[in-house]
Amino acid sequence: MPKRKLDLPANASLAAAGAAHAPHAANADEPLKTTAPAVVRAVHILDVIAAASEPVGLADLARETGVPKSTLHGLCDTLVKLRLVKRHANGGMTMGSYVMGWANAFLSQTNITEEFRAVWEASRAFAQETVTLSVLDGAEVIYLACHNGNRPLGVTFRIGMRLPAPYTATGKAMLSTLPPGEAADLLAGAWPAPLTRASVSTYPALAEEMAQVRRDGYSIDNGQMREGMICFGAPVFDASGERAVAGLAVSFLTNEIDAQTGQRIGRQMRELADQLSVRLGAPARR
């Protein structure tokens, strides 16, 4: 997709410019009711192996899953034969190569913008506000989907719009999930021209904001992209790991938001991003 640069003159609108656990039902506190307990046990075994940082032995699997060793042995043998699990020389087990076919099929069949719209429409939060979905492209964010609310912000977000990542709520959220060295390298060239007087001006200052995102789970753009507007963002993940694949944000007029309201909105945005992440294959956050 070709880059579309955005000029932002003063007062111009933007339009012009997890721990492993057994499979559960929708209510995580209710055990899954099924007539195929062997399938549930097999998935639990895979969950434990996938969450481990090193090969998992039979004794550890028995302790983690609660499955009797005699049953566990047969299940593991079957998973090995199906290449869902790989057994090493010392008896420890790791994930097998066969699961990659399922993962690739899931990713190819998933449309992040459709999933965003499904999550947003099913949520009662932010029905009247401006909500955006963007992805990181180098040191910029590019907007994939926008719902411009009916509250006047003096801003119109458009699909394909690009903005400097350090100044946006979604950019801060996504940058916070990168290794520190990688985030610094992305911004090692010329620092982007400020959009407002509040735009963060140095990488150390941005690093402090990214630390806040990692601590609280959501980001804040308080007038850095546009004066008089405050945005709350959160990173979105898929099954691939801890690097965000997208970011969600909601925008308000600054004078509408006090500290307590901002914290509530930030948590709501984190919850909405978590719901989208689960639809993209990420494990549910606890």
Side-chain angles (χ1 to χ4, degrees), residues 166-167 172 191-192 194 196-206 209 224:
Y167 306 147
K172 297 175 195 293
W191 193 260
T196 74
R197 291 173 295 180
S199 295
V200 61
S201 59
T202 65
Y203 183 79
L206 176 63
E209 295 190 26
Q224 295 191 35

Side-chain angles (χ1 to χ4, degrees), residues 110-225:
T110 299
N111 186 315
I112 190 170
T113 57
E114 291 181 3
E115 298 297 344
F116 158 71
R117 295 188 189 284
V119 166
W120 183 82
E121 290 173 1
S123 172
R124 296 181 180 179
F126 312 126
Q128 307 302 318
E129 281 72 39
T130 294
V131 180
T132 58
L133 171 75
S134 64
V135 293
L136 194 63
D137 185 20
E140 295 180 315
V141 297
I142 181 169
Y143 290 86
L144 297 184
C146 313
H147 173 269
N148 287 294
N150 56 15
R151 297 184 179 185
L153 294 172
V155 169
T156 300
F157 289 94
R158 299 187 187 281
I159 295 172
M161 178 182 290
R162 289 177 176 270
L163 289 173
Y167 306 147
T168 66
T170 55
K172 297 175 195 293
M174 290 184 282
L175 287 170
S176 74
T177 70
L178 301 180
E182 184 174 342
D185 288 344
L186 279 178
L187 299 162
W191 193 260
L195 302 182
T196 74
R197 291 173 295 180
S199 295
V200 61
S201 59
T202 65
Y203 183 79
L206 176 63
E208 292 183 9
E209 295 190 26
M210 292 191 293
Q212 172 269 316
V213 181
R214 290 188 287 270
R215 181 183 69 246
D216 298 335
Y218 60 89
S219 60
I220 303 172
D221 155 27
N222 194 349
Q224 295 191 35
M225 192 265 283

Side-chain angles (χ1 to χ4, degrees), residues 46 71 105 135 276:
L46 293 171
T71 303
V135 293
L276 178 55

Side-chain angles (χ1 to χ4, degrees), residues 11-256:
N11 300 322
S13 74
L14 293 183
H21 55 281
H24 279 63
N27 182 343
D29 295 327
E30 295 181 5
L32 181 65
K33 296 178 180 179
T34 177
T35 57
V39 175
V40 176
R41 286 173 169 174
V43 174
H44 195 181
I45 291 167
L46 293 171
D47 279 345
V48 173
I49 293 173
S53 58
E54 55 186 27
V56 182
L58 199 65
D60 291 329
L61 272 178
R63 183 177 65 253
E64 292 289 334
T65 63
V67 178
K69 281 189 177 181
S70 56
T71 303
L72 190 62
H73 190 275
L75 286 171
C76 288
D77 277 350
T78 301
L79 292 173
V80 169
K81 291 176 181 176
L82 293 173
R83 293 187 292 117
L84 293 169
V85 167
K86 179 180 180 180
R87 182 178 282 126
H88 297 263
N90 63 359
M93 288 169 282
T94 56
M95 295 300 292
S97 59
Y98 196 84
V99 297
M100 289 304 300
W102 290 346
N104 291 333
F106 174 81
L107 292 174
S108 68
Q109 295 166 13
T110 299
N111 186 315
I112 190 170
T113 57
E114 291 181 3
E115 298 297 344
F116 158 71
R117 295 188 189 284
V119 166
W120 183 82
E121 290 173 1
S123 172
R124 296 181 180 179
F126 312 126
Q128 307 302 318
E129 281 72 39
T130 294
V131 180
T132 58
L133 171 75
S134 64
V135 293
L136 194 63
D137 185 20
E140 295 180 315
V141 297
I142 181 169
Y143 290 86
L144 297 184
C146 313
H147 173 269
N148 287 294
N150 56 15
R151 297 184 179 185
L153 294 172
V155 169
T156 300
F157 289 94
R158 299 187 187 281
I159 295 172
M161 178 182 290
R162 289 177 176 270
L163 289 173
Y167 306 147
T168 66
T170 55
K172 297 175 195 293
M174 290 184 282
L175 287 170
S176 74
T177 70
L178 301 180
E182 184 174 342
D185 288 344
L186 279 178
L187 299 162
W191 193 260
L195 302 182
T196 74
R197 291 173 295 180
S199 295
V200 61
S201 59
T202 65
Y203 183 79
L206 176 63
E208 292 183 9
E209 295 190 26
M210 292 191 293
Q212 172 269 316
V213 181
R214 290 188 287 270
R215 181 183 69 246
D216 298 335
Y218 60 89
S219 60
I220 303 172
D221 155 27
N222 194 349
Q224 295 191 35
M225 192 265 283
R226 186 182 190 278
E227 292 182 359
M229 186 173 72
I230 183 170
C231 306
F232 300 87
V236 174
F237 304 92
D238 64 9
S240 63
E242 297 299 316
R243 179 191 297 263
V245 295
L248 285 182
V250 62
S251 303
F252 297 85
L253 294 176
T254 304
N255 58 15
E256 296 177 328

